[in-house]
């Protein structure tokens, strides 16, 4: 049965008190925000209460000269970007879910990312400070407004992709980048293998693309940013070296990137979205294996790859999705995650074979959430501890 009790704290103190005060009455908690990643990962087990972080919203501290911003975790990233844009700055992060109101804490906890990962990484690379609340109500902080390494646990990296299984992200400090003065996109006709080869060549050429994204419909999209003169020079040079290349501007450029976002965040009901990481050179073979499985299962497959990073996103509609997920697990192992569960049977395992570091994952879970209060089921069966995991953090 779904949980009916909900806590909606608006401050760190209220969140701390809600978590600490519910340890006996509501021991199992499910963390929720805008709901854009509600079906990411494994299906959560029934919880005693939901902790809704959407009231935990707002910018806490922003001084443009510092190139950092501190926000409460329930703040939609789109709202943060709107405020930063007035000062010519932004968080260099473009996951597709941002357009649907995804929050800063939810994006960190889900480990999502977009095409800009090629240049700027994901939120794990942009978060320089974080405040979290643990299962006993303890408030833990790491980092701050100064961009440097700190001793002890790197909480931002531990909570990145944790799917609400370690604790609740309450506040986040993000590093910022200037908004580009100009940007341009060059579309190169290419299949997956050619796009991978071209990506390597473009990186080595000094073109400095901020995104290298391939989809079957558009080919390889090469986005460059900077000063007007520099952008036009680099875009023209890329186009001149490759037959059939087109420099996209205006509505054409926007449509090309919207098509990329639609793979990761499709509008179609009943879609399943998978994401996997491979060596960049293994990407074409991975996509080919999924294509063959999709054809056999009567599934329509849309796919895209950040070719420089080896990150592949696949959307499935129609037919039976389970054989395609099984093929993904067989080809890419534990690196496959379910971003959106729209067409999988309830009893389908969302995770493939456990990663080599599964014992460490379980030990971290035990250290941060020994009572097992958070996110039960999200990483099932990986987070079922065994005696072999004891002492992994000793």
């Amino acid at each position: 049965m779904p949980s009916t009790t909900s806590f909606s704290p608006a401050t760190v103190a209220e969140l701390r008190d809600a978590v600490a005060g519910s340890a006996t009455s509501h021991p199992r908690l499910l963390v929720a925000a805008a709901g854009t990643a509600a079906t990411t990962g494994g299906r959560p087990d029934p919880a005693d209460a939901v902790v809704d972080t959407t009231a935990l919203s707002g910018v806490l501290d922003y001084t443009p000269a510092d190139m950092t911003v501190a926000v409460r975790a329930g703040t939609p990233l789109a709202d943060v970007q709107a405020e930063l844009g007035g000062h010519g700055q932004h968080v260099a992060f473009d996951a597709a879910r941002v357009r649907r109101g995804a929050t800063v804490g939810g994006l960190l906890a889900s480990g999502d990312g977009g095409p800009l990962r090629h240049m700027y990484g994901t939120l794990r690379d942009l978060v320089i400070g974080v405040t979290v609340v643990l299962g006993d109500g303890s408030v833990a902080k790491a980092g701050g407004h100064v961009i440097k390494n700190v001793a002890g646990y790197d909480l931002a990296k531990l909570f990145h992709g944790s799917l609400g299984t370690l604790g609740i992200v309450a506040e986040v400090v993000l590093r910022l980048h200037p908004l580009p003065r100009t940007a341009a996109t060059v579309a190169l006709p290419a299949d997956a293998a050619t796009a991978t080869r071209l990506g390597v060549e473009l990186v080595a050429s000094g073109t400095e693309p901020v995104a290298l994204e391939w989809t079957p419909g558009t080919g390889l999209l090469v986005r460059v940013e900077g000063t007007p003169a520099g952008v036009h020079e680099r875009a023209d040079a890329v186009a001149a070296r490759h037959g059939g290349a087109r420099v996209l501007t205006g509505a054409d450029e926007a449509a090309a990137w919207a098509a990329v976002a639609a793979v990761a965040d499709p509008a179609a009901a009943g879609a399943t979205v998978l994401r996997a990481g491979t060596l960049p050179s293994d990407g074409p073979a991975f996509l080919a294996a999924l294509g063959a499985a999709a054809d056999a299962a009567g599934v329509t497959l849309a796919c895209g790859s950040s070719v420089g990073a080896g990150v592949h996103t696949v959307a499935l509609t129609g037919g039976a999705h389970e054989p395609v997920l099984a093929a993904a697990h067989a080809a890419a192992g534990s690196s496959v995650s379910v971003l959106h569960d729209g067409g999988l049977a309830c009893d389908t395992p969302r995770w493939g074979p456990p990663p080599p570091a599964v014992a460490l994952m379980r030990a971290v879970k035990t250290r941060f959430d020994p009572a097992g209060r958070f996110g039960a089921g999200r990483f099932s069966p990986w987070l079922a501890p065994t005696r072999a995991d004891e002492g992994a953090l000793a």
Side-chain angles (χ1 to χ4, degrees):
M1 293 288 293
S3 172
T4 55
T5 301
S6 178
F7 304 114
S8 300
T11 66
V12 174
E14 290 180 6
L15 176 59
R16 176 199 63 204
D17 293 346
V19 172
S22 64
T24 300
S25 60
H26 301 86
R28 292 292 181 93
L29 301 177
L30 179 68
V31 186
T36 61
T39 60
T40 295
R43 293 195 172 216
D45 294 342
D48 301 304
V50 173
V51 181
D52 182 349
T53 63
T54 53
L56 197 66
S57 182
V59 173
L60 294 166
D61 186 16
Y62 174 42
T63 304
D66 293 338
M67 299 292 287
T68 61
V69 64
V71 302
R72 293 188 178 94
T75 312
L77 182 58
D79 292 355
V80 179
Q81 300 285 40
E83 181 164 345
L84 301 177
H87 299 274
Q89 297 177 346
H90 70 145
V91 181
F93 180 82
D94 60 346
R97 294 191 293 114
V98 173
R99 63 184 177 178
R100 288 198 292 116
T103 64
V104 173
L107 289 163
L108 178 65
S110 63
D112 206 350
L116 287 180
R117 65 169 67 86
H118 175 80
M119 174 64 74
Y120 300 104
T122 58
L123 281 187
R124 73 189 300 273
D125 306 293
L126 299 172
V127 173
I128 60 172
V130 67
T131 300
V132 301
V133 175
L134 304 180
D136 61 355
S138 299
V139 178
K141 298 184 179 183
H145 285 270
V146 180
I147 301 172
K148 64 178 182 178
N149 293 322
V150 296
Y153 290 108
D154 189 331
L155 292 181
K157 290 184 172 58
L158 279 177
F159 275 71
H160 182 265
S162 63
L163 296 178
T165 59
L166 300 179
I168 304 174
V169 179
E171 296 176 355
V172 178
V173 183
L174 296 158
R175 66 181 300 181
L176 307 178
H177 290 82
L179 279 169
R181 291 176 58 188
T182 307
T185 298
V186 184
L188 307 178
D191 58 19
T194 303
T196 301
R197 175 180 58 80
L198 291 177
V200 173
E201 293 176 359
L202 287 164
V203 170
S205 71
T207 302
E208 297 184 335
V210 296
L212 286 171
E213 200 78 10
W214 174 83
T215 65
T218 56
L220 179 62
L221 297 176
V222 184
R223 182 177 174 88
V224 291
E225 297 178 346
T227 63
V231 165
H232 293 312
E233 179 182 353
R234 285 182 287 152
D236 290 344
V238 171
R241 287 197 299 266
H242 304 281
R246 295 181 299 131
V247 179
L248 304 179
T249 58
D252 290 339
E253 183 180 23
W257 288 109
V260 171
V263 176
D265 192 29
T272 297
V273 181
L274 312 178
R275 179 162 288 159
T278 69
L279 291 173
S281 58
D282 292 341
F286 171 76
L287 294 176
L290 264 63
D295 289 343
V299 171
T300 299
L301 183 149
C303 59
S305 295
S306 293
V307 296
V311 177
H312 316 285
T313 307
V314 180
L316 314 175
T317 53
H321 298 178
E322 291 77 12
V324 185
L325 176 59
H329 287 153
S334 58
S335 75
V336 179
S337 59
V338 176
L339 292 192
H340 182 66
D341 172 8
L344 295 172
C346 291
D347 58 351
T348 301
R350 268 57 176 176
W351 300 103
V358 68
L360 183 60
M361 288 180 63
R362 292 169 179 164
V364 168
K365 170 69 172 176
T366 300
R367 177 65 59 89
F368 279 82
D369 184 26
R373 299 197 67 189
F374 295 113
R378 285 294 199 186
F379 283 102
S380 179
W382 291 0
L383 288 185
T386 66
R387 289 185 178 275
D389 302 326
E390 296 178 3
L393 287 180

